[in-house]
Structure formats: C-alpha cells, structure tokens
Amino acid sequence: QVQLVESGGGKVQSGGSLRLSCTASRSIFSISTLAWYRQAPGKGRELVATISSGGSTNYAESVKGRFTISRDHAKNTMYLQMNSLKPEDTAEYSCNAKGVRVVNVEGAKVDFEYWGQGTQVIVSS
C-alpha cells in the first residue's frame, strides 16, 4: 500500500498564494497520472489539475493561469502552486495518483489508485 501525505494548506487572504505538496511513500509518480481535486463545503468533488506520466498538464477553467501542477520524481512529491487565490477557491484539496503497474515476470498488470488525506485551504476576502 502506498500513502500520499499532503501539506501546505492554510488560511490566506484573497490574492495570496499557497503551495500544496503531496509526498508518496513509494516511488510511483513516474508511472502515474497525478491529480489534485478539491471539494468545497456543500459541493461535489472537482478536478482541479492533472499531470500525466509524460508531463502533460490540464487545468479546470476556473484555475487556469493561476494554478500550476508539477512533480519531482526524485522526491516522490507533487505540488500545486496556487496564486491569485479567490474566496471561491476555499475547499479541501486532495491529491490522487492513478496508474498501472506490472506485478510479475509474465507482465501481468494491475490498476492502482491512491488518495491523500486532504488539506484545507481557506481564502478570506
């Protein structure tokens, strides 16, 4: 089992910045699609940003130009740099790693998906 541990959440004023980190207990990021999700109070979970194993990134329209997803394979860590924060960015943010790995010499593969515990981001106006 792989644990994803997040850090970096907190309270910030509108227009401020935060950087979230998500560190994996094992080296899986090179074979994973990584993502950040968020869930605001009373709302459903929203996909914020993804980065593929090849490095391609995608963002929700609401965060384009303000948020940047990145990863550091050597540190088994992914990041979400959040700039120009708005009150509507207030939510619990969770990291996700999903992929396929080979489990034996015959090449059998299994899917995997892991979640972080979530970190709270509060943006005050």
Side-chain angles (χ1 to χ4, degrees), residues 28 31-34 96-101 110-114:
I28 61 167
I31 59 171
S32 304
T33 294
L34 308 176
N96 173 277
K98 183 165 57 178
V100 179
R101 64 170 177 260
V110 295
D111 297 332
F112 65 83
E113 183 172 17
Y114 303 108

Side-chain angles (χ1 to χ4, degrees), residues 1 6 16 19 26 35 39 45 47 54 62 71 79 109 119:
Q1 187 70 10
E6 295 152 354
R19 187 176 80 156
R26 285 170 47 194
Q39 186 165 19
R45 189 165 59 196
L47 178 62
S62 58
R71 64 189 179 191
Y79 305 97
K109 298 178 180 179
T119 186

